[in-house]
Amino acid sequence: MKFQGIRFGVLAAGLAGTLLAGTAMAQEVTLKLGHLANEDNIWNKAALKFGEEVSALTDGRIAVEVFPNESLGKEMDLINGMQLGTADMTITGESLQNWAPLAALLAVPYAYTSLDEMDSVAGGEIGDQIEAQIIERAQVRPIAYFARGPRNLTSNRPITSPDDLDGLKMRVPNVPLFVSVWEALGAAPTPMAFSEVFTSLQNGTIEAQENPLALIKSASFPEVQDYVNLTEHVRSWIYLTISELTWNNLSPEDQEAVLEAARRTQEYERELFLADEAQLTEDLQAAGMEFVEVDQEAFAAQAKDAVLANVSDEIKPVVEQLFAQ
């Protein structure tokens, strides 16, 4: 796989701030990095790797303190804190569309049909535009991106094409775009809290659900679902970000060190991600789930109109461009 890294050089500079951070002098700095994943998650391992690299590249002058499990705050609280100067870093994705509409492009159904295609967008011109808008409007700076496992449909009968859905009662997150897409595909989607999904599958209230492999395993869905249908309907990425206030108080040398540490972390996380996806497949198969190949082109073609009808006018031209590819 040809890996395309994030283009750091074109990210726009933001307004200078006054948060405690390093200067050209040999001043010790601690960057607080909070995120929602647990200690065993690869995002946490990547965050720790980032801290190691930053320390090594700055001879220990900059330390990174990692706070998993939302122990420094929930995602939106951390973003707000980074804007105000009370937090330094987090791992975040399409939630940034609350400030920067282009961030919605991180998770559009069937916009990216492969990991390589997603990399070409995230690490290319469109990715540059997304990052620049995030910096300008959200006042946080993406410095690396991590792939997320694609969302797949689980069920108790094999699904190979949209025709097989035929009113399938399935849970979806409370996201209007997801609801509209699955209705267009022929299913009967029901928004539902994730905590209710297992019991609802168990008692037959719903017949199916869709999530990445990691959540399919951790939620014990093999106990109530027989098939993983490889719809891969949403591929997405998430950013490692730093507050613009913090960034602008770093010396140019320290900024370069942080970017280099982020580049190394991105490569490290990708290795972990690919190994994790392979292991998850083995684990789910060992738990009795059968993986079903799906006509993804048929799904994408049928979902297209619903996607375009539900994305904002600001990102619609880009989504049209992605579908045209």
Side-chain angles (χ1 to χ4, degrees):
M1 182 189 74
K2 182 179 180 182
F3 180 72
Q4 299 191 33
I6 191 170
R7 295 184 181 180
F8 299 116
V10 299
L11 298 179
L15 299 175
T18 56
L19 183 67
L20 170 66
T23 67
M25 300 170 61
Q27 181 179 353
E28 290 191 1
V29 177
T30 298
L31 302 178
K32 293 184 177 181
L33 195 172
H35 63 83
L36 58 83
N38 64 31
E39 290 88 347
D40 295 328
N41 190 278
I42 60 175
W43 292 353
N44 190 59
K45 294 175 182 178
L48 295 172
K49 171 70 170 178
F50 174 73
E52 293 171 2
E53 294 291 350
V54 168
S55 179
L57 289 164
T58 62
D59 297 321
R61 288 183 299 101
I62 300 179
V64 177
E65 191 172 359
V66 178
F67 297 84
N69 289 311
E70 297 183 332
S71 56
L72 195 62
K74 296 184 182 297
E75 182 180 5
M76 297 300 286
D77 294 331
L78 286 171
I79 296 171
N80 288 324
M82 290 164 67
Q83 294 166 338
L84 295 170
T86 57
D88 299 303
M89 300 187 68
T90 193
I91 298 171
T92 183
E94 62 268 22
S95 295
L96 290 165
Q97 68 186 282
N98 288 284
W99 296 271
L102 288 179
L105 291 167
L106 272 65
V108 175
Y110 288 112
Y112 320 106
T113 58
S114 68
L115 186 58
D116 284 345
E117 185 177 319
M118 191 202 76
D119 277 336
S120 70
V121 174
E125 182 179 350
I126 293 174
D128 294 342
Q129 294 170 3
I130 297 170
E131 293 150 20
Q133 189 181 84
I134 290 170
I135 293 169
E136 177 187 358
R137 301 191 188 182
Q139 288 295 290
V140 302
R141 175 175 294 257
I143 58 173
Y145 74 86
F146 306 147
R148 288 189 280 188
R151 300 179 78 93
N152 288 297
L153 176 69
T154 67
S155 62
N156 285 324
R157 55 183 170 86
I159 305 292
T160 61
S161 74
D163 292 340
D164 295 331
L165 292 171
D166 192 24
L168 182 76
K169 294 184 295 182
M170 61 177 289
R171 178 266 180 182
V172 294
N174 191 16
V175 178
L177 174 59
F178 284 15
V179 175
S180 295
V181 166
W182 282 105
E183 286 177 343
L185 288 169
T190 300
M192 180 185 295
F194 184 73
S195 58
E196 301 173 12
V197 177
F198 183 90
T199 301
S200 297
L201 287 168
Q202 196 172 40
N203 63 28
T205 304
I206 55 173
E207 305 169 89
Q209 68 83 50
E210 51 82 53
N211 263 302
L213 297 183
L215 278 178
I216 293 170
K217 178 186 175 183
S218 64
S220 301
F221 289 152
E223 296 179 19
V224 288
Q225 298 273 264
D226 297 330
Y227 297 95
V228 177
N229 307 286
L230 296 172
T231 49
E232 297 184 345
H233 48 279
V234 177
R235 289 186 175 275
S236 59
W237 69 93
I238 199 162
Y239 288 118
L240 174 64
T241 62
I242 186 168
S243 162
E244 276 293 275
L245 295 173
T246 302
W247 175 260
N248 284 306
N249 278 285
L250 296 175
S251 69
E253 293 79 12
D254 286 345
Q255 288 177 351
E256 287 301 316
V258 167
L259 290 180
E260 175 59 21
R263 185 192 65 79
R264 296 178 185 181
T265 299
Q266 182 170 307
E267 293 181 353
Y268 171 78
E269 193 277 343
R270 178 56 59 87
E271 293 175 2
L272 294 182
F273 169 77
L274 293 174
D276 192 50
E277 286 292 291
Q279 186 62 53
L280 286 166
T281 299
E282 291 184 13
D283 292 346
L284 291 171
Q285 288 174 328
M289 297 195 84
E290 182 177 337
F291 280 62
V292 178
E293 293 295 330
V294 166
D295 186 350
Q296 293 183 7
E297 289 187 4
F299 271 84
Q302 194 158 322
K304 177 181 176 180
D305 288 345
V307 171
L308 292 174
N310 283 274
V311 297
S312 70
D313 290 340
E314 184 162 356
I315 73 167
K316 185 175 293 185
V318 182
V319 176
E320 289 174 336
Q321 176 185 342
L322 293 171
F323 272 112
Q325 293 175 357

